[in-house]
Amino acid sequence: MSRYTDRRVLITGGGSGIGQACVLRILDEGGHVVAADVSEAGLKDTVSKAQSAADRLSTLVMDVGDEESVRAGVAEAIGILGGLDTLVNVAGILRSARLEQTTLTDFERVLRINLVGTFLVTREAISALRNGNGPAVVNFSSTSAHFGHPYMSAYAASKGGILSMTHTLALEFAKDGIRFNCVQPGSISSGMTDGTGQARQSVGPGLPDDTDYSLFSRLQPMLAIDGGAMFADPSAVASVVAMLGSADAFFVTGTEVRVDGGTHM
């Protein structure tokens, strides 16, 4: 497919996990991409995997939780691309703890990166999107926004906020022709779940030592995963993101797509 030929795309969290998978998928479909991430090492890894599409990939270090970093980073990305057609807000962190052991600092940090970060990047990109070609925004909520995931109160709160904000922005910008949707990954391998990503190494979800694993008994995908793995490959989400950010989803806005292998039927 070549749905992204001449399409200009900014993807946050592009240095690992699902964000990196989104970068590679959209490059594979012909897009011109700026991948942003807080980790320079992660971005270098993404470039190394882009192979023949590297000439259509640019990277920049950006902290989505820092207003000045976002303002400068989004402006740089738009300048590199010469405009913006699709924004994909993937960047996020996860910290897990029992409620009574969750510090205010940790709770606010998760909200700052996940929810406020999505707001900041979108706000700075909106003017360019107004002038984009079939403009679309794909945000990252989570199955935890609708279903109970133990020890993840801060994460669930942030992802529920993203879900509600996506609906609101879809209505607010419908007359401008900007589509807003979000994906809700579940049971997906990522930097936050498997320890391979730079973001995971720096913050780590770290379930409590006395975790009651019976609480997770309902959080199992119904679809089989190749090799009997616990989590599906990030490409399962990237393919849905690519659809939502392209002209194929021209009549889809203000909704969410759950990508969890039937975990929450």
Side-chain angles (χ1 to χ4, degrees):
M1 288 186 288
S2 56
R3 293 179 293 190
Y4 281 83
T5 298
D6 297 326
R7 197 161 179 80
R8 302 159 296 181
V9 185
L10 169 60
I11 302 174
T12 70
S16 66
I18 298 173
Q20 184 181 82
C22 290
V23 171
L24 299 177
R25 174 60 185 252
I26 289 175
L27 284 172
D28 191 52
E29 292 199 31
H32 293 263
V33 178
V34 170
D37 200 286
V38 72
S39 169
E40 187 172 3
L43 291 172
K44 289 179 179 178
D45 181 60
T46 299
V47 171
S48 72
K49 293 175 179 175
Q51 300 178 355
S52 60
D55 62 322
R56 289 183 279 108
L57 173 63
S58 299
T59 64
L60 60 88
V61 175
M62 182 172 75
D63 178 358
V64 299
D66 182 272
E67 186 173 19
E68 290 307 313
S69 179
V70 170
R71 183 174 288 118
V74 172
E76 181 179 349
I78 293 168
I80 291 170
L81 294 167
L84 189 62
D85 304 311
T86 297
L87 169 63
V88 184
N89 285 306
V90 188
I93 62 172
L94 169 64
R95 286 187 175 177
S96 302
R98 291 184 176 276
L99 178 64
E100 64 271 26
Q101 296 168 348
T102 301
T103 67
L104 180 60
T105 297
D106 283 350
F107 196 94
E108 289 181 336
R109 179 64 174 163
V110 172
L111 291 179
R112 182 74 185 180
I113 298 298
N114 297 358
L115 179 56
V116 177
T118 297
F119 154 72
L120 288 173
V121 175
T122 304
R123 186 190 68 182
E124 294 305 311
I126 203 69
S127 293
L129 286 165
R130 277 197 177 100
N131 296 313
N133 177 26
V137 178
V138 183
N139 290 330
F140 268 66
S141 180
S142 164
T143 53
S144 66
H146 279 138
F147 304 94
H149 288 204
Y151 314 117
M152 301 179 190
S153 56
Y155 185 76
S158 71
K159 295 302 185 176
I162 290 170
L163 176 65
S164 298
M165 182 168 65
T166 299
H167 288 186
T168 298
L169 296 179
L171 181 59
E172 183 175 341
F173 292 99
K175 290 184 178 178
D176 293 300
I178 307 174
R179 296 182 296 101
F180 283 82
N181 294 290
C182 62
V183 291
Q184 295 183 307
S187 300
I188 303 293
S189 177
S190 72
M192 290 188 293
T193 60
D194 60 18
T196 61
Q198 297 297 318
R200 166 65 173 85
Q201 291 173 11
S202 64
V203 299
L207 289 172
D209 291 338
D210 60 346
T211 290
D212 180 356
Y213 287 97
S214 69
L215 298 177
F216 293 89
S217 61
R218 297 174 61 188
L219 301 179
Q220 299 295 324
M222 294 296 99
L223 293 178
I225 300 173
D226 289 346
M230 292 180 61
F231 300 104
D233 188 81
S235 61
V237 182
S239 60
V240 177
V241 169
M243 181 276 290
L244 291 172
S246 76
D248 278 359
F250 70 94
F251 205 55
V252 181
T253 194
T255 193
E256 56 279 348
V257 180
R258 203 160 66 234
V259 187
D260 68 348
T263 299
H264 300 93
M265 287 185 185

PDB file of all heavy atoms in Angstrom, residues 22-41:
ATOM      1  N   CYS A  22       4.914   2.377  14.475  1.00  0.00           N
ATOM      2  CA  CYS A  22       4.124   3.313  13.669  1.00  0.00           C
ATOM      3  C   CYS A  22       4.996   4.051  12.666  1.00  0.00           C
ATOM      4  O   CYS A  22       4.605   4.246  11.511  1.00  0.00           O
ATOM      5  CB  CYS A  22       3.402   4.306  14.577  1.00  0.00           C
ATOM      6  SG  CYS A  22       2.066   3.602  15.564  1.00  0.00           S
ATOM      7  N   VAL A  23       6.174   4.468  13.108  1.00  0.00           N
ATOM      8  CA  VAL A  23       7.110   5.141  12.199  1.00  0.00           C
ATOM      9  C   VAL A  23       7.439   4.238  11.013  1.00  0.00           C
ATOM     10  O   VAL A  23       7.356   4.641   9.847  1.00  0.00           O
ATOM     11  CB  VAL A  23       8.406   5.537  12.945  1.00  0.00           C
ATOM     12  CG1 VAL A  23       9.464   6.031  11.952  1.00  0.00           C
ATOM     13  CG2 VAL A  23       8.114   6.614  13.983  1.00  0.00           C
ATOM     14  N   LEU A  24       7.812   2.995  11.303  1.00  0.00           N
ATOM     15  CA  LEU A  24       8.230   2.077  10.251  1.00  0.00           C
ATOM     16  C   LEU A  24       7.074   1.723   9.317  1.00  0.00           C
ATOM     17  O   LEU A  24       7.257   1.606   8.101  1.00  0.00           O
ATOM     18  CB  LEU A  24       8.831   0.817  10.874  1.00  0.00           C
ATOM     19  CG  LEU A  24      10.081   1.042  11.736  1.00  0.00           C
ATOM     20  CD1 LEU A  24      10.544  -0.265  12.362  1.00  0.00           C
ATOM     21  CD2 LEU A  24      11.201   1.690  10.934  1.00  0.00           C
ATOM     22  N   ARG A  25       5.874   1.564   9.868  1.00  0.00           N
ATOM     23  CA  ARG A  25       4.721   1.230   9.039  1.00  0.00           C
ATOM     24  C   ARG A  25       4.374   2.375   8.082  1.00  0.00           C
ATOM     25  O   ARG A  25       4.132   2.167   6.875  1.00  0.00           O
ATOM     26  CB  ARG A  25       3.512   0.910   9.924  1.00  0.00           C
ATOM     27  CG  ARG A  25       2.195   0.686   9.174  1.00  0.00           C
ATOM     28  CD  ARG A  25       2.302  -0.490   8.190  1.00  0.00           C
ATOM     29  NE  ARG A  25       1.097  -0.642   7.392  1.00  0.00           N
ATOM     30  CZ  ARG A  25       0.219  -1.630   7.553  1.00  0.00           C
ATOM     31  NH1 ARG A  25       0.393  -2.528   8.499  1.00  0.00           N
ATOM     32  NH2 ARG A  25      -0.842  -1.706   6.773  1.00  0.00           N
ATOM     33  N   ILE A  26       4.360   3.604   8.588  1.00  0.00           N
ATOM     34  CA  ILE A  26       3.988   4.740   7.740  1.00  0.00           C
ATOM     35  C   ILE A  26       5.077   5.051   6.728  1.00  0.00           C
ATOM     36  O   ILE A  26       4.789   5.434   5.584  1.00  0.00           O
ATOM     37  CB  ILE A  26       3.621   5.943   8.628  1.00  0.00           C
ATOM     38  CG1 ILE A  26       2.277   5.634   9.325  1.00  0.00           C
ATOM     39  CG2 ILE A  26       3.536   7.233   7.828  1.00  0.00           C
ATOM     40  CD1 ILE A  26       1.831   6.665  10.328  1.00  0.00           C
ATOM     41  N   LEU A  27       6.325   4.847   7.085  1.00  0.00           N
ATOM     42  CA  LEU A  27       7.401   4.963   6.101  1.00  0.00           C
ATOM     43  C   LEU A  27       7.226   3.924   5.004  1.00  0.00           C
ATOM     44  O   LEU A  27       7.408   4.223   3.816  1.00  0.00           O
ATOM     45  CB  LEU A  27       8.764   4.772   6.775  1.00  0.00           C
ATOM     46  CG  LEU A  27       9.308   5.925   7.608  1.00  0.00           C
ATOM     47  CD1 LEU A  27      10.566   5.474   8.339  1.00  0.00           C
ATOM     48  CD2 LEU A  27       9.599   7.151   6.749  1.00  0.00           C
ATOM     49  N   ASP A  28       6.856   2.723   5.393  1.00  0.00           N
ATOM     50  CA  ASP A  28       6.651   1.639   4.436  1.00  0.00           C
ATOM     51  C   ASP A  28       5.533   1.959   3.452  1.00  0.00           C
ATOM     52  O   ASP A  28       5.521   1.457   2.327  1.00  0.00           O
ATOM     53  CB  ASP A  28       6.334   0.341   5.178  1.00  0.00           C
ATOM     54  CG  ASP A  28       6.366  -0.879   4.262  1.00  0.00           C
ATOM     55  OD1 ASP A  28       7.377  -1.059   3.555  1.00  0.00           O
ATOM     56  OD2 ASP A  28       5.382  -1.642   4.255  1.00  0.00           O
ATOM     57  N   GLU A  29       4.605   2.819   3.883  1.00  0.00           N
ATOM     58  CA  GLU A  29       3.499   3.214   3.016  1.00  0.00           C
ATOM     59  C   GLU A  29       3.781   4.523   2.285  1.00  0.00           C
ATOM     60  O   GLU A  29       2.876   5.120   1.697  1.00  0.00           O
ATOM     61  CB  GLU A  29       2.216   3.330   3.826  1.00  0.00           C
ATOM     62  CG  GLU A  29       1.716   1.989   4.344  1.00  0.00           C
ATOM     63  CD  GLU A  29       0.255   2.013   4.737  1.00  0.00           C
ATOM     64  OE1 GLU A  29      -0.502   2.790   4.110  1.00  0.00           O
ATOM     65  OE2 GLU A  29      -0.125   1.256   5.633  1.00  0.00           O
ATOM     66  N   GLY A  30       5.023   4.982   2.318  1.00  0.00           N
ATOM     67  CA  GLY A  30       5.421   6.123   1.507  1.00  0.00           C
ATOM     68  C   GLY A  30       5.416   7.465   2.188  1.00  0.00           C
ATOM     69  O   GLY A  30       5.639   8.496   1.540  1.00  0.00           O
ATOM     70  N   GLY A  31       5.174   7.503   3.507  1.00  0.00           N
ATOM     71  CA  GLY A  31       5.077   8.767   4.208  1.00  0.00           C
ATOM     72  C   GLY A  31       6.412   9.443   4.457  1.00  0.00           C
ATOM     73  O   GLY A  31       7.472   8.808   4.446  1.00  0.00           O
ATOM     74  N   HIS A  32       6.338  10.765   4.664  1.00  0.00           N
ATOM     75  CA  HIS A  32       7.476  11.552   5.128  1.00  0.00           C
ATOM     76  C   HIS A  32       7.262  11.774   6.615  1.00  0.00           C
ATOM     77  O   HIS A  32       6.248  12.366   7.013  1.00  0.00           O
ATOM     78  CB  HIS A  32       7.563  12.879   4.387  1.00  0.00           C
ATOM     79  CG  HIS A  32       7.897  12.724   2.938  1.00  0.00           C
ATOM     80  ND1 HIS A  32       9.181  12.862   2.446  1.00  0.00           N
ATOM     81  CD2 HIS A  32       7.117  12.415   1.874  1.00  0.00           C
ATOM     82  CE1 HIS A  32       9.176  12.651   1.137  1.00  0.00           C
ATOM     83  NE2 HIS A  32       7.931  12.386   0.767  1.00  0.00           N
ATOM     84  N   VAL A  33       8.177  11.299   7.446  1.00  0.00           N
ATOM     85  CA  VAL A  33       7.935  11.208   8.887  1.00  0.00           C
ATOM     86  C   VAL A  33       9.011  11.937   9.690  1.00  0.00           C
ATOM     87  O   VAL A  33      10.208  11.830   9.392  1.00  0.00           O
ATOM     88  CB  VAL A  33       7.897   9.729   9.335  1.00  0.00           C
ATOM     89  CG1 VAL A  33       7.698   9.626  10.845  1.00  0.00           C
ATOM     90  CG2 VAL A  33       6.794   8.971   8.594  1.00  0.00           C
ATOM     91  N   VAL A  34       8.554  12.660  10.707  1.00  0.00           N
ATOM     92  CA  VAL A  34       9.446  13.121  11.764  1.00  0.00           C
ATOM     93  C   VAL A  34       9.105  12.313  13.006  1.00  0.00           C
ATOM     94  O   VAL A  34       7.959  12.322  13.471  1.00  0.00           O
ATOM     95  CB  VAL A  34       9.285  14.621  12.051  1.00  0.00           C
ATOM     96  CG1 VAL A  34      10.061  14.992  13.326  1.00  0.00           C
ATOM     97  CG2 VAL A  34       9.792  15.457  10.884  1.00  0.00           C
ATOM     98  N   ALA A  35      10.080  11.580  13.513  1.00  0.00           N
ATOM     99  CA  ALA A  35       9.910  10.794  14.739  1.00  0.00           C
ATOM    100  C   ALA A  35      10.515  11.583  15.899  1.00  0.00           C
ATOM    101  O   ALA A  35      11.680  11.986  15.846  1.00  0.00           O
ATOM    102  CB  ALA A  35      10.605   9.442  14.616  1.00  0.00           C
ATOM    103  N   ALA A  36       9.714  11.828  16.920  1.00  0.00           N
ATOM    104  CA  ALA A  36      10.178  12.555  18.096  1.00  0.00           C
ATOM    105  C   ALA A  36      10.185  11.628  19.298  1.00  0.00           C
ATOM    106  O   ALA A  36       9.308  10.767  19.439  1.00  0.00           O
ATOM    107  CB  ALA A  36       9.276  13.757  18.369  1.00  0.00           C
ATOM    108  N   ASP A  37      11.168  11.810  20.163  1.00  0.00           N
ATOM    109  CA  ASP A  37      11.258  10.978  21.360  1.00  0.00           C
ATOM    110  C   ASP A  37      12.179  11.671  22.351  1.00  0.00           C
ATOM    111  O   ASP A  37      13.053  12.468  21.961  1.00  0.00           O
ATOM    112  CB  ASP A  37      11.805   9.588  21.013  1.00  0.00           C
ATOM    113  CG  ASP A  37      11.470   8.540  22.075  1.00  0.00           C
ATOM    114  OD1 ASP A  37      12.097   8.568  23.156  1.00  0.00           O
ATOM    115  OD2 ASP A  37      10.581   7.712  21.830  1.00  0.00           O
ATOM    116  N   VAL A  38      12.020  11.361  23.621  1.00  0.00           N
ATOM    117  CA  VAL A  38      12.911  11.903  24.640  1.00  0.00           C
ATOM    118  C   VAL A  38      14.271  11.222  24.600  1.00  0.00           C
ATOM    119  O   VAL A  38      15.265  11.749  25.114  1.00  0.00           O
ATOM    120  CB  VAL A  38      12.267  11.772  26.037  1.00  0.00           C
ATOM    121  CG1 VAL A  38      12.249  10.320  26.494  1.00  0.00           C
ATOM    122  CG2 VAL A  38      12.949  12.664  27.057  1.00  0.00           C
ATOM    123  N   SER A  39      14.328  10.037  23.976  1.00  0.00           N
ATOM    124  CA  SER A  39      15.559   9.247  23.943  1.00  0.00           C
ATOM    125  C   SER A  39      16.271   9.366  22.598  1.00  0.00           C
ATOM    126  O   SER A  39      15.769   8.897  21.574  1.00  0.00           O
ATOM    127  CB  SER A  39      15.241   7.778  24.223  1.00  0.00           C
ATOM    128  OG  SER A  39      16.367   6.966  23.957  1.00  0.00           O
ATOM    129  N   GLU A  40      17.447   9.951  22.612  1.00  0.00           N
ATOM    130  CA  GLU A  40      18.235  10.050  21.384  1.00  0.00           C
ATOM    131  C   GLU A  40      18.693   8.669  20.924  1.00  0.00           C
ATOM    132  O   GLU A  40      18.710   8.373  19.726  1.00  0.00           O
ATOM    133  CB  GLU A  40      19.445  10.952  21.610  1.00  0.00           C
ATOM    134  CG  GLU A  40      20.238  11.242  20.352  1.00  0.00           C
ATOM    135  CD  GLU A  40      21.321  12.288  20.555  1.00  0.00           C
ATOM    136  OE1 GLU A  40      21.484  12.750  21.710  1.00  0.00           O
ATOM    137  OE2 GLU A  40      22.001  12.640  19.573  1.00  0.00           O
ATOM    138  N   ALA A  41      19.034   7.809  21.878  1.00  0.00           N
ATOM    139  CA  ALA A  41      19.459   6.450  21.529  1.00  0.00           C
ATOM    140  C   ALA A  41      18.317   5.687  20.868  1.00  0.00           C
ATOM    141  O   ALA A  41      18.528   4.929  19.908  1.00  0.00           O
ATOM    142  CB  ALA A  41      19.940   5.712  22.778  1.00  0.00           C
TER     143      ALA A  41
END
